[in-house]
Amino acid sequence: MNRRGFIKKTTLATVTGAMGCDIVFGAAMPKGYMPLAFQNPDPFTLFHKDSEMVVLNNRPLNMEAKAHLLDDAITPNKYMFVRNNGLLPERIDGDTWKLTIDGESAVQAKSYSLKELREKFQQYTYQLTLECGGNGRSEFNPPAKGNQWTVGAVSCAQWTGIRLRDVLEDVGIKKTAVYVGYHAADVHLTRDPKKEPISRGVPIAKAMQEETLLAFAMNGKDIPLIHGYPLRLVAGGWPASASGKWINRLQIRDKEHDGAKMGGSSYRVPCNTVAPGTKVNEDQMCIIESMPVKSLITYPKTGAMLTKGRYLEVRGHTWAGEREVVKMEYSINFGATWTPCNLEKPVNRLAWQHFSAKIKFPKKGYYEVWAKATDSEGSSQPMLVPGWNPKGYLNNACHRIAVKIV
Amino acid sequence: MSDPQKKFGKGARRVYRILIVICTLALILAVFMYYSYERNGMGMDSKYSELPKKEESNSIGIKKDSLTGFVVATGMQETINNCTNCHSAQLVTQNRMTREGWLATIRWMQESQNLWELGDNEPIILEYLSTYYAPEEKGRRAPLRDIEWYLFED
């Protein structure tokens, strides 16, 4: 090893040590370039996240918003939650990126460059709700294992790309097709090249929906690195883990996809409901598909103190997986009475909907504003934490903010 | 220079020296007071008071490792050495499990995530985790906590 190489390597190692994590693009780092992280060693600067975002775990990176940060109609990158299962891909080059489609139920194996995908297929733009299956996990009792999400692992950004069905049809889908599984360029935490951090997907029916995209852009720009640049599968209304990031291979399967985090208790709940704390056998666990009806009060921030007699404008978003929200209500008396909110239609299927209400408080005191959505099938949000499950998924209990009239 | 003038000059220098000593002592005292004030937590800014109450009540008399956030106690070093190679300490510290739950998690990592055999360290780590990261009864829904009150203005 020559002196220069030694210095280069040791410098990188020193920087890596100081950051407490590895520099994934270390090898591609230009000479003399001091990574941003070293100047300001935090993921907020690296990935352009707002300083109010909350890091639950920095390896793998998991970061959520607070309710009031999600007030925008379309979630900007700075407030979008991050759920990584592994480490960021080592190298990403959009010019040489290839998407390969194969599998038992593919008529042929075929590869496309990003340029081919962009030019060959028509592009569509949709606002799509992505919520982590474990959003709200922190409320389960007994506690469920995993990142302890509160309320902020949800987003609704504007995604632009091509329809997954158009590409699958171009490859050719056999009648035996059951599932589409994804593979991606991210790296397992152990750096074991034989392991994938996550390789999930969707049943063929979801894959064929008009809104299921292979996306290049988020909010009109290239997808941010942390959210899946250069290619992301986006399956709105389903656990966000179905929307794989950094996609480089899709398999059209003739059975349920069996990639990493498809089996065991990952993104699964007991097929039949169980009492809290019950041990459930793996063969009794069923894959989560559509996410349940839910809502979030994004304005005002919890903790507002008002002078007596004042009106309070509240607003927020509501979503219901594959369904639409048809009724939105609020309560300021712990559910004793409910008052309807104004509710907007979604801009497209699978986009979250906006609600608002003007609340007058009768007298001084401590209040909680509770929000409750009802979907097109008549399902409403529960007031208490719903059915316990071993991994703490699908907590859609009503959101609450605290208000004081002084 | 006349004698009284010399005397005056000497006196002035003495006063000057005494003043310097007094000021230095005052400065040292001020710095000391500031630090003890900070350490007692009275000078905590609002950002730090956001910590969940759970953590606060736990932290009475409990020290946390500044680098990892782990509770400083017997078994911490074994836990750091064996449990933070692939993932951050936060993935451990944000979870609450029984001894059985922690053991099942270790076994799962050994079966599928390349975790090695923990050998003699296993009971030490299990004892540490099940003592300091044990489940707490939360009920069916906890009250709203840690509300930062602010005057609402449109």
Side-chain angles (χ1 to χ4, degrees):
Chain A
M1 190 191 288
N2 61 29
R3 181 182 161 270
R4 202 188 193 122
F6 175 77
I7 289 173
K8 201 177 157 189
K9 284 218 168 82
T10 47
T11 307
L12 189 59
T14 310
V15 172
T16 301
M19 280 171 68
C21 63
D22 293 312
I23 298 174
V24 285
F25 296 111
M29 217 159 66
K31 266 183 209 158
Y33 173 69
M34 182 60 79
L36 265 182
F38 192 51
Q39 300 165 33
N40 189 356
D42 67 70
F44 299 90
T45 317
L46 272 177
F47 305 117
H48 310 288
K49 295 295 176 184
D50 187 86
S51 61
E52 279 198 82
M53 296 287 283
V54 181
V55 173
L56 300 179
N57 184 0
N58 56 28
R59 186 168 42 117
L61 184 62
N62 284 270
M63 179 190 270
E64 73 170 333
K66 295 173 182 167
H68 69 280
L69 300 178
L70 292 168
D71 196 39
D72 297 88
I74 296 172
T75 312
N77 171 59
K78 63 178 175 176
Y79 297 137
M80 182 179 274
F81 76 97
V82 177
R83 196 288 182 253
N84 279 355
N85 288 266
L87 307 170
L88 279 176
E90 298 280 353
R91 269 169 205 280
I92 299 179
D93 181 355
D95 295 334
T96 57
W97 194 268
K98 280 254 183 275
L99 171 70
T100 302
I101 300 181
D102 56 14
E104 305 94 346
S105 294
V107 170
Q108 57 178 329
K110 201 168 171 179
S111 289
Y112 302 87
S113 69
L114 287 179
K115 193 162 171 281
E116 283 170 319
L117 291 176
R118 282 175 192 272
E119 288 171 0
K120 192 167 178 161
F121 304 100
Q122 195 183 330
Q123 297 190 17
Y124 299 86
T125 297
Y126 299 106
Q127 289 177 29
L128 298 166
T129 309
L130 291 183
E131 182 181 14
C132 175
N135 196 21
R137 174 177 293 140
S138 60
E139 288 197 291
F140 280 98
N141 180 36
K145 192 180 87 176
N147 287 292
Q148 299 297 304
W149 305 101
T150 64
V151 296
V154 62
S155 67
C156 185
Q158 191 180 62
W159 296 92
T160 301
I162 56 175
R163 284 181 176 152
L164 175 59
R165 66 185 286 175
D166 291 350
V167 192
L168 296 181
E169 279 167 355
D170 188 63
V171 171
I173 311 164
K174 288 186 192 167
K175 281 207 175 73
T176 53
V178 170
Y179 227 88
V180 175
Y182 67 72
H183 299 273
D186 50 348
V187 176
H188 194 266
L189 289 174
T190 58
R191 296 188 172 276
D192 180 344
K194 293 192 292 291
K195 286 185 180 295
E196 289 177 283
I198 188 164
S199 167
R200 303 196 68 244
V202 290
I204 198 76
K206 179 66 177 170
M208 298 303 278
Q209 279 184 3
E210 288 185 354
E211 300 85 1
T212 302
L213 298 179
L214 273 172
F216 317 113
M218 188 184 105
N219 298 338
K221 291 183 192 150
D222 280 349
I223 300 174
L225 175 64
I226 196 76
H227 295 297
Y229 176 84
L231 195 63
R232 179 170 191 176
L233 181 62
V234 186
W238 284 43
S241 57
S243 297
K245 305 190 267 193
W246 315 289
I247 298 297
N248 55 19
R249 181 181 171 210
L250 293 170
Q251 279 182 291
I252 310 176
R253 306 297 309 264
D254 64 358
K255 57 180 180 184
E256 204 171 83
H257 183 54
D258 51 2
K261 303 216 172 178
M262 280 300 290
S265 55
S266 295
Y267 304 100
R268 285 173 184 254
V269 291
C271 304
N272 299 309
T273 49
V274 298
T278 306
K279 194 165 160 40
V280 186
N281 285 334
E282 287 188 5
D283 62 353
Q284 289 301 304
M285 298 286 281
C286 287
I287 298 179
I288 300 166
E289 299 197 331
S290 173
M291 293 294 285
V293 61
K294 198 164 173 180
S295 60
L296 199 59
I297 303 165
T298 58
Y299 181 88
K301 184 184 168 183
T302 188
M305 289 191 296
L306 286 85
T307 353
K308 188 175 168 280
R310 285 194 57 177
Y311 285 92
L312 179 64
E313 290 264 2
V314 300
R315 61 175 181 257
H317 315 294
T318 177
W319 60 96
E322 289 284 329
R323 300 173 184 175
E324 190 177 318
V325 175
V326 296
K327 189 165 72 178
M328 189 69 216
E329 296 163 290
Y330 73 84
S331 176
I332 57 166
N333 50 23
F334 309 96
T337 58
W338 291 92
T339 310
C341 303
N342 298 315
L343 174 66
E344 292 176 26
K345 297 282 278 182
V347 292
N348 54 253
R349 221 176 67 80
L350 313 179
W352 68 16
Q353 298 166 243
H354 314 300
F355 69 85
S356 62
K358 199 172 184 183
I359 303 175
K360 188 172 189 229
F361 293 89
K363 55 181 186 175
K364 285 186 183 179
Y366 171 85
Y367 292 88
E368 287 176 11
V369 181
W370 292 9
K372 179 173 78 168
T374 304
D375 71 24
S376 47
E377 302 291 315
S379 286
S380 297
Q381 290 181 257
M383 301 301 103
L384 299 177
V385 179
W388 185 91
N389 60 86
K391 286 297 299 286
Y393 295 117
L394 307 182
N395 176 7
N396 66 334
C398 75
H399 183 226
R400 308 167 293 175
I401 61 165
V403 173
K404 231 186 243 182
I405 309 299
V406 291
Chain B
M1 213 186 277
S2 71
D3 238 1
Q5 269 174 323
K6 246 186 195 170
K7 241 182 194 169
F8 178 76
K10 250 185 187 171
R13 279 198 294 276
R14 188 178 294 152
V15 169
Y16 184 61
R17 276 197 295 270
I18 289 170
L19 271 174
I20 287 177
V21 170
I22 289 173
C23 286
T24 310
L25 282 174
L27 185 70
I28 291 169
L29 191 67
V31 168
F32 174 76
M33 280 172 73
Y34 175 73
Y35 274 107
S36 57
Y37 177 75
E38 282 280 283
R39 193 167 288 177
N40 289 339
M42 293 180 297
M44 274 183 171
D45 63 32
S46 60
K47 204 167 179 183
Y48 291 103
S49 62
E50 273 175 39
L51 279 174
K53 279 222 175 66
K54 199 167 57 186
E55 294 265 340
E56 278 176 18
S57 61
N58 275 354
S59 67
I60 294 172
I62 287 183
K63 260 172 72 181
K64 297 240 177 104
D65 178 52
S66 60
L67 209 64
T68 61
F70 272 120
V71 171
V72 179
T74 309
M76 181 187 81
Q77 202 51 52
E78 288 83 352
T79 305
I80 292 174
N81 293 349
N82 289 283
C83 306
T84 61
N85 291 273
C86 296
H87 58 71
S88 74
Q90 293 161 299
L91 193 57
V92 181
T93 58
Q94 63 175 316
N95 276 287
R96 298 289 180 275
M97 284 177 238
T98 58
R99 191 183 178 96
E100 190 191 14
W102 285 115
L103 181 62
T105 304
I106 288 169
R107 291 287 174 267
W108 170 75
M109 287 188 282
Q110 286 170 334
E111 279 159 25
S112 65
Q113 305 295 309
N114 298 359
L115 175 62
W116 46 82
E117 290 299 320
L118 298 176
D120 293 344
N121 286 326
E122 187 171 288
I124 298 170
I125 291 168
L126 275 176
E127 185 62 25
Y128 171 79
L129 292 175
S130 58
T131 303
Y132 298 100
Y133 299 94
E136 287 164 31
E137 183 55 47
K138 285 189 280 195
R140 194 74 198 219
R141 195 148 202 210
L144 294 178
R145 275 190 299 245
D146 314 312
I147 303 159
E148 287 172 62
W149 295 103
Y150 64 96
L151 200 59
F152 179 80
E153 278 160 314
D154 242 336

